[in-house]
Amino acid sequence: MKKPAALPDLDHPTLDAASIRRSLYNRLIYTIGKDPITATDRDWFYAAAAVLRERMIERWMETMRSYYVEDRKRVYYLSMEFLMGRTMMNSMLNICCEQEFNDALSALGEIGLKPENIREMEHDAALGNGGLGRLAACFLDSMATMGIPGYGYGIRYEYGMFHQRIEDGQQVEHPDNWLRYGSPWEFPRPEVLYQVKFHGKVVDFADEHGKKNFQWVETDDVMAMAYDYPIPGYDTGTVNNMRLWAAKSSRDFDLKYFNEGNYIRAVEDKNDSENLSKVLYPDDTTEMGRELRLKQQYFFVSASLQDVLYRFAKSDTPLEGLPDKVAIQLNDTHPSISVAELMRILMDQHHLDWAHAWDITTRIFSYTNHTLMPEALETWPVSLFERVLPRHLQIIYEINHRFLKDVMHHYPGDPALWQRMSLIDESRSKRIRMAHLAIVGSHKVNGVAEIHTRLMKETIFADFHRLWPDKIINMTNGVTPRRWLNQANPGLSKLITAHIGKTWLKDLDQLRQLTPLAADAGFREEFARVKRDNKIRLADMILERLFVKVDPDSLFDVQIKRIHEYKRQLLNVLHVVTLYNRLRAGGDAPPRTVIFGGKAAPGYRMAKLVIRLINDVADIVNNDPLVRDLLKVVFIPNYDVSSAEIIIPGADLSQQISTAGTEASGTGNMKLALNGALTIGTLDGANVEIRNEVGAENIFIFGMTADEVARTQAAGYNPWLHYDGNGELKQTLNMIRDGYFSPEDGDRYKPVFDSLTAQGDHYLLLADYASYMACHEQVAQLYRDPSVWIQKAILNVAGMGQFSSDRTIGQYARSIWNVEARPRATG
């Protein structure tokens, strides 16, 4: 490959406030085309984004050039979600020009503008939903900060998942039109366009050497167009790239139909094609929805692999060297069709034989598992694959045939084992097990917390672990301290830096230096002041959005995460109702504000019913004069990254209460503890490791362990025993069942009651209820002693060094990807 020449001398935009201020006016006038006199806050935001963007572009280009010049191995992170949040403040902080930008923006006060209003014009990028997407975003930040050649690949969703509104207490989904005004951070690449095929049929023929070849023909084609987003590392010259794909029709407009007056049919192909990148996770309760989901997954996988191979082809490395230059990480099973797609490309387009193609494929891919629940492991009907991806079905069948032949050699005479390990589940209508495809097609498989990885080996993937005892390894998740402490909590960030310096931003283990300061009364006072300021900010947000006034001196008890039965928001509600009953009966407790946030999947009826129950309970509790201001309940709608950046710093108590053995890791638990919230939780996911790091005396643990859960379920769990044996629990459940919180519809929550009793209480809420209530009493007792509470909060912050995404990425780089971190100078 021809080496790129150095960039010519350019008019370098500098990072001083005067230069930034000049650029702001220049961009407003010459790029946005607005007069400063008539410009709106939005105009100034887009001008500021252009100024910031141009101060990243040269670093971005130099980074990309360096990867070619040094011919470095690249990491490609394939994920259906990248929950990036807002970009402006994060980029300012990462390229170390926040103060200069603030000074330049503050100068706009001379024409009546407020910098905070300009920053609020930015919409969260609607590219993800929960922890999976936020983890991916943290990983991109860490790869850039550490100087690892990392690229993110995903989909440029036009409307995201949905914008959640609460109407009459219920979740109502609205389009999240985050691109209404365009994104100032993206670079459209209309020249980067790849064809993606669907449907059609497969024909085979023999070449002149008698070798069988396959062609996928008569397909319906969609074009994938690239959009690039620069990802700046913190205090480094590295700016990596995230490339997202938008679906474009191969036939935009059919003039024949238009001229006939059939205007809808004229654009039908265009609309059908572009639906692929409209929304994240379309409702899969319908056949059309399921097909759209599968098409989405293949769409971004196919485009990404074509792009990876195009970039690889620019080097002088032969195809056999692909695993030496490319590592691909599959973030959950959504991109696992990559295994079959790469095999198709290598065999059908590059004409490699099976053994050669399979060797390359398995050395390139690695797979991250994010769930222990068998029902959550993605499967697809064979009939759907046969219709949508017929060539891939053939390849998967061949992979399965060869794999099972190997399994039979290792374990002859065990057809039950063969059935369990097969890529095809034949226990019901035939379905493809995508997790099995990812495991078989990867050289490494990782869990995301120690307990999660252990349970993977012992339960859902025990057979694979027995066959390949070195394949499954642990990579405990982490979060980036740049966004989740430096950006989200500037008061605490400045306090920490004032006492231990700023090296913690790249080496989170430095927070251990805070441990002795927990005993320092002066530091505790400063820490408490920062926490209270954050709680006031959160209280203001609640008042503004919900018109509910909450007391910043009350215990802010927070559960913010995707709404799902295994995450047990309903257990939290049971505690709220029980506490409400105690207070009405004259009981004593410190004032408490219980804060919920999270979205339910549009087709998940029980999760949406739980949201309505939370809001109905809030309506009764918040308006009952008998409890005065001792208890408030709020549900913050449309929980997203920007909301989290306000909620997390203001939290006192972090609810991490999933049934032990169900949560893979969690990262909200890490973010909250990093910001000084004490955790109440089960020994599930990363809670186990958090307890080890912060000390058992600085965390509230309750409930059964994963092993105890398994034994309880195996013995035949009977929730009625807990219902009949605990008077407070019975009263609480009866109130929910009998319409106390839904007087206009007495049967509204009978399905909730039934799920916890007659239907077996699948996630053992009633079994953990008494332990959970007792643990909350310990919380209340400790909160009465503010000095000790703050001391424990500081020790939580001090113990969070292990949970930096930098540490996680370093482990991936060494143990899975075999790549080297080389931070670049900023000069």
Side-chain angles (χ1 to χ4, degrees):
M1 172 191 169
K2 183 179 177 181
K3 302 297 183 185
L7 288 172
D9 288 337
L10 300 173
D11 183 14
H12 300 281
T14 59
L15 295 177
D16 61 281
S19 171
I20 291 170
R21 186 169 181 270
R22 285 193 303 274
S23 294
L24 280 169
Y25 279 97
N26 281 332
R27 295 286 73 76
L28 180 75
I29 294 168
Y30 299 115
T31 301
I32 310 302
K34 281 295 189 77
D35 188 314
I37 297 174
T38 59
T40 65
D41 286 346
R42 191 176 305 282
D43 295 326
W44 280 108
F45 162 69
Y46 278 92
V51 171
L52 184 58
R53 193 171 82 157
E54 59 188 27
R55 280 155 175 78
M56 290 191 289
I57 287 175
E58 193 172 335
R59 296 186 189 189
W60 190 27
M61 291 183 176
E62 289 290 359
T63 299
M64 296 299 108
R65 285 167 168 260
S66 74
Y67 295 159
Y68 281 108
V69 170
E70 298 167 13
D71 195 21
R72 296 182 64 184
K73 183 175 185 178
R74 294 169 170 87
V75 175
Y76 299 101
Y77 197 85
L78 271 58
S79 179
M80 282 290 284
E81 299 184 40
F82 288 96
L83 196 57
M84 305 301 292
R86 293 175 177 173
T87 296
M88 176 175 280
M89 183 58 67
N90 185 252
S91 296
M92 285 182 194
L93 289 165
N94 275 12
I95 67 172
C96 302
C97 65
E98 179 207 12
Q99 187 58 55
E100 292 78 7
F101 251 94
N102 283 340
D103 290 345
L105 291 172
S106 296
L108 298 178
E110 65 193 23
I111 55 174
L113 294 172
K114 295 181 179 179
E116 58 271 22
N117 292 348
I118 295 172
R119 285 191 286 266
E120 284 300 312
M121 287 294 102
E122 183 171 10
H123 198 299
D124 276 36
L127 300 171
N129 173 44
L132 184 85
R134 189 51 238 172
L135 178 74
C138 286
F139 280 2
L140 294 188
D141 176 271
S142 287
M143 283 191 273
T145 297
M146 298 170 71
I148 290 173
Y151 297 72
Y153 275 117
I155 295 177
R156 179 185 178 265
Y157 301 105
E158 189 173 344
Y159 295 106
M161 188 171 176
F162 58 83
H163 183 93
Q164 181 195 56
R165 294 181 188 165
I166 302 300
E167 300 174 11
D168 191 27
Q170 302 177 77
Q171 170 180 293
V172 179
E173 300 92 19
H174 294 266
D176 189 352
N177 195 4
W178 71 286
L179 289 170
R180 176 184 291 121
Y181 302 103
S183 170
W185 311 111
E186 68 181 14
F187 290 80
R189 306 296 192 196
E191 76 282 5
V192 182
L193 206 63
Y194 294 107
Q195 183 184 53
V196 180
K197 299 180 176 184
F198 298 103
H199 304 121
K201 65 181 182 180
V202 181
V203 297
D204 59 80
F205 60 93
D207 62 18
E208 64 272 18
H209 303 294
K211 181 183 176 183
K212 195 173 186 180
N213 289 270
F214 296 87
Q215 277 192 329
W216 188 11
V217 298
E218 299 178 17
T219 55
D220 296 325
D221 300 341
V222 176
M223 305 308 292
M225 176 181 153
Y227 288 78
D228 287 345
Y229 295 73
I231 307 294
Y234 172 74
D235 193 20
T236 176
T238 299
V239 178
N240 279 339
N241 194 49
M242 177 175 69
R243 176 161 284 183
L244 304 179
W245 302 105
K248 303 294 181 182
S249 175
S250 57
R251 293 174 297 179
D252 276 356
F253 186 76
D254 194 318
L255 189 60
K256 174 179 176 290
Y257 285 113
F258 186 85
N259 288 336
E260 291 174 355
N262 193 344
Y263 307 125
I264 294 176
R265 182 70 181 88
V267 294
E268 190 173 63
D269 285 340
K270 173 180 170 65
N271 291 338
D272 287 347
S273 297
E274 296 182 1
N275 280 340
L276 284 175
S277 55
K278 290 291 186 189
V279 298
L280 168 66
Y281 300 143
D283 186 355
D284 62 355
T285 58
T286 66
E287 182 65 26
M288 289 181 64
R290 285 189 288 275
E291 180 170 331
L292 182 55
R293 276 209 188 191
L294 177 60
K295 283 183 170 180
Q296 275 189 336
Q297 293 179 8
Y298 177 67
F299 165 76
F300 104 88
V301 158
S302 174
S304 300
L305 289 181
Q306 290 182 71
D307 199 47
V308 167
L309 290 170
Y310 173 79
R311 188 175 295 111
F312 172 79
K314 292 181 179 180
S315 72
D316 299 325
T317 308
L319 198 58
E320 292 78 4
L322 190 63
D324 299 322
K325 297 300 178 183
V326 169
I328 299 178
Q329 190 70 36
L330 307 177
N331 190 27
D332 213 354
T333 54
H334 307 125
S336 58
I337 189 61
S338 297
V339 174
E341 172 67 357
L342 185 57
M343 287 293 291
R344 184 189 71 82
I345 293 171
L346 293 177
M347 293 190 302
D348 295 0
Q349 296 179 9
H350 293 275
H351 307 295
L352 298 185
D353 60 48
W354 182 279
H356 195 179
W358 186 246
D359 176 67
I360 290 173
T361 297
T362 54
R363 289 165 58 201
I364 284 174
F365 287 115
S366 47
Y367 158 57
T368 301
N369 171 268
H370 286 280
T371 184
L372 288 166
M373 294 184 289
E375 65 271 20
L377 292 173
E378 193 171 46
T379 64
W380 292 107
V382 165
S383 58
L384 179 60
F385 250 81
E386 192 170 32
R387 184 172 71 253
V388 177
L389 300 172
R391 177 59 179 137
H392 298 77
L393 180 60
Q394 291 180 339
I395 292 170
I396 289 170
Y397 273 148
E398 183 63 21
I399 292 171
N400 196 43
H401 170 73
R402 291 171 182 253
F403 168 63
L404 288 181
K405 189 174 181 180
D406 185 48
V407 172
M408 292 172 191
H409 289 157
H410 281 83
Y411 307 106
D414 193 348
L417 173 71
W418 309 339
Q419 290 174 4
R420 291 198 305 270
M421 298 186 74
S422 174
L423 273 60
I424 310 299
D425 180 2
E426 302 193 51
S427 62
R428 36 187 176 156
S429 59
K430 286 186 177 182
R431 300 182 70 89
I432 301 171
R433 295 163 165 155
M434 302 307 286
H436 289 203
L437 175 63
I439 293 170
V440 173
S442 298
H443 66 282
K444 288 293 181 185
V445 176
N446 72 277
V448 290
E450 288 178 0
I451 185 174
H452 170 232
T453 304
R454 175 177 68 83
L455 291 172
M456 282 172 62
K457 295 176 180 180
E458 294 176 357
T459 58
I460 55 171
F461 301 135
D463 296 324
F464 291 96
H465 178 59
R466 181 181 168 199
L467 178 64
W468 295 312
D470 297 324
K471 178 172 277 195
I472 300 176
I473 61 177
N474 180 55
M475 297 280 149
T476 297
N477 283 343
V479 301
T480 170
R482 271 79 61 178
R483 181 176 289 270
W484 293 112
L485 185 47
N486 192 40
Q487 177 177 336
N489 199 341
L492 183 55
S493 176
K494 290 172 184 174
L495 176 62
I496 292 170
T497 299
H499 284 269
I500 68 171
K502 65 176 185 178
T503 57
W504 62 270
L505 282 159
K506 287 188 175 182
D507 180 8
L508 203 60
D509 286 332
Q510 296 300 318
L511 292 183
R512 281 290 180 196
Q513 297 180 60
L514 297 177
T515 300
L517 293 173
D520 183 310
F523 185 80
R524 288 202 304 271
E525 185 177 334
E526 290 181 272
F527 188 96
R529 189 180 304 116
V530 169
K531 175 61 74 174
R532 193 173 192 281
D533 287 345
N534 288 329
K535 292 176 72 173
I536 290 171
R537 182 174 63 149
L538 174 52
D540 289 343
M541 183 184 82
I542 292 169
L543 182 61
E544 178 184 341
R545 294 190 188 180
L546 302 175
F547 308 105
V548 176
K549 187 174 182 179
V550 299
D551 180 7
D553 292 320
S554 66
L555 170 65
F556 277 14
D557 178 350
V558 171
Q559 189 176 21
I560 41 174
K561 53 184 75 243
R562 179 167 54 95
I563 310 297
H564 196 289
E565 287 169 277
Y566 86 85
K567 293 179 183 288
R568 300 203 297 189
Q569 284 89 355
L570 189 51
L571 180 59
N572 192 350
V573 174
L574 297 183
H575 166 254
V576 168
V577 175
T578 303
L579 179 59
Y580 170 68
N581 289 335
R582 290 178 179 179
L583 292 172
R584 280 181 57 85
D588 184 33
R592 184 185 296 244
T593 300
V594 183
I595 300 168
F596 293 89
K599 295 179 179 180
Y604 193 170
R605 292 183 180 179
M606 182 55 72
K608 295 175 81 169
L609 190 60
V610 169
I611 290 176
R612 190 171 194 183
L613 175 60
I614 292 168
N615 284 292
D616 279 348
V617 168
D619 182 58
I620 296 295
V621 169
N622 296 347
N623 292 288
D624 189 334
L626 285 180
V627 300
R628 301 179 302 280
D629 292 322
L630 290 175
L631 180 62
K632 290 287 179 69
V633 181
V634 295
F635 185 96
I636 297 175
N638 204 49
Y639 176 63
D640 57 12
V641 174
S642 293
S643 300
E645 289 171 0
I646 297 174
I647 298 169
I648 288 172
D652 292 309
L653 188 67
S654 163
Q655 296 254 9
Q656 309 297 330
I657 58 176
S658 53
T659 310
T662 60
E663 184 71 81
S665 170
T667 52
N669 46 7
M670 302 170 188
K671 296 163 195 165
L672 283 151
L674 181 63
N675 282 272
L678 274 59
T679 301
I680 181 169
T682 53
L683 288 174
D684 196 27
N687 293 353
V688 178
E689 291 157 81
I690 290 175
R691 181 190 64 167
N692 295 340
E693 294 296 321
V694 306
E697 68 280 7
N698 299 312
I699 189 171
F700 300 99
I701 297 296
F702 75 93
M704 291 183 286
T705 65
D707 292 339
E708 289 169 340
V709 166
R711 288 196 296 270
T712 299
Q713 291 173 327
Y717 171 60
N718 183 359
W720 289 109
L721 296 177
H722 298 280
Y723 172 81
D724 292 325
N726 188 311
E728 281 192 315
L729 174 60
K730 189 171 189 177
Q731 179 189 14
T732 293
L733 288 171
N734 289 351
M735 290 170 69
I736 293 171
R737 178 195 63 193
D738 297 338
Y740 185 96
F741 300 104
S742 55
E744 71 282 9
D745 181 1
D747 291 333
R748 179 179 296 162
Y749 298 115
K750 192 172 184 301
V752 172
F753 178 88
D754 289 343
S755 74
L756 296 178
T757 52
Q759 294 171 15
D761 185 20
H762 184 67
Y763 294 106
L764 286 81
L765 281 70
L766 305 195
D768 276 347
Y769 169 84
S771 175
Y772 183 54
M773 292 300 302
C775 204
H776 268 295
E777 290 171 12
Q778 297 174 31
V779 169
Q781 182 179 354
L782 182 66
Y783 195 71
R784 295 179 191 276
D785 190 339
S787 181
V788 177
W789 183 281
I790 289 296
Q791 184 175 25
K792 291 180 180 292
I794 294 168
L795 291 173
N796 268 262
V797 177
M800 292 307 292
Q802 174 69 11
F803 302 101
S804 168
S805 51
D806 296 351
R807 185 268 313 152
T808 312
I809 288 298
Q811 290 179 328
Y812 274 101
R814 291 187 301 273
S815 302
I816 297 180
W817 302 331
N818 191 28
V819 296
E820 181 184 356
R822 296 183 202 166
R824 299 181 69 247
T826 56

